[in-house]
Amino acid sequence: MKTIKSLLLFAFIGLSFVACSDDDDAPVPVNEEETITTLRITLVPEGGGTNITIETQDLDGDGPNDPVRDISGNLSANTTYTGSIVFLNETETPAEDITEEVEEEDDEHQIFYIPSGSITSVTYDDQDGNGNPLGLAFTLETGAAGNATLEVTLVHEPKKPNDGTLSDAGGEVDFTDNYALTIE
C-alpha cells in the first residue's frame, strides 16, 4: 500500500511539472480581415469643372443582393483628374472608415488601378513609409472620347516593391470592382 501511495505521489508531482511549464509560446495575434461595404472614388478635374464620384455599396457582403454601383456622370475627354479613394464599413453605426487603417498600415496595403479604353493612365500620388506606391491619392488622365473601364483592387500584404501588376503583387484581395465609364 505504501508503494502505491508513493507511486501516486510521484505521478502527481510529475504531472504538476508538466502542467506548469512556462515555455508555452505566446499566442500569435490575429489580424482579422476588415469588412469593406463601400468604396467611394472622387475625381476632381484640373482647371475646374464637375467632380465625378464612383461608388460601390454592398451592405450584405456575400449575401444575395448585388452591389449597387453609382457613377455621378461622364468624364471629360483629354482631362487630368486628381483622385482620392475611401473605403467604409457601413455595417457599423457610425460607419467605420477603413481608409484610416489602410493609411496606418500603408506598408501592408496597395491599391491597384487597371485602366483600359479612353483612360490613358493612372499614376500614384502617394507612397507608403518605405517609398512604395500606396494608391489612396492618384492622378487619372483621359484621352479621346469613348468608353473606358477602371478596375480597382485593394490588396493586403502585397509584395513590395512590385512591378505594378496584380500578378506580381501576391497578397490577399480585400476589395475589387470594375467600372464602365464614358469619356465625352
Side-chain angles (χ1 to χ4, degrees):
M1 187 72 155
K2 199 175 205 181
T3 306
I4 294 175
K5 286 182 182 179
S6 295
L7 288 174
L8 287 174
L9 179 63
F10 285 122
F12 175 74
I13 292 171
L15 286 175
S16 296
F17 284 119
V18 170
C20 295
S21 171
D22 64 353
D23 65 345
D24 292 337
D25 293 331
V28 176
V30 175
N31 186 9
E32 292 190 26
E33 295 271 330
E34 49 274 326
T35 300
I36 298 174
T37 61
T38 306
L39 167 141
R40 185 174 304 125
I41 295 173
T42 303
L43 298 173
V44 178
E46 288 185 2
T50 303
N51 292 356
I52 304 295
T53 57
I54 301 169
E55 184 172 286
T56 297
Q57 187 178 52
D58 190 5
L59 296 178
D60 71 345
D62 292 333
N65 299 321
D66 289 335
V68 176
R69 290 176 186 84
D70 182 51
I71 301 169
S72 67
N74 296 330
L75 281 72
S76 298
N78 302 307
T79 301
T80 299
Y81 290 88
T82 301
S84 61
I85 190 166
V86 173
F87 299 98
L88 300 172
N89 175 4
E90 293 186 296
T91 62
E92 297 184 8
T93 303
E96 179 184 10
D97 187 351
I98 303 299
T99 315
E100 293 173 359
E101 182 177 336
V102 171
E103 195 168 30
E104 288 171 9
E105 300 174 359
D106 59 3
D107 62 326
E108 297 178 13
H109 292 91
Q110 186 173 349
I111 303 157
F112 291 84
Y113 299 93
I114 302 169
S116 67
S118 292
I119 297 175
T120 59
S121 69
V122 177
T123 55
Y124 292 96
D125 290 343
D126 59 355
Q127 300 173 338
D128 66 16
N130 297 315
N132 296 304
L134 178 57
L136 292 173
F138 60 96
T139 299
L140 181 145
E141 294 183 17
T142 60
N147 294 319
T149 61
L150 182 63
E151 179 181 338
V152 180
T153 303
L154 171 62
V155 177
H156 184 98
E157 295 187 349
K159 175 180 89 173
K160 288 190 175 187
N162 57 61
D163 68 7
T165 64
L166 285 173
S167 61
D168 188 48
E172 295 181 26
V173 172
D174 281 346
F175 186 94
T176 189
D177 208 351
N178 278 299
Y179 303 96
L181 303 169
T182 302
I183 316 297
E184 57 181 22

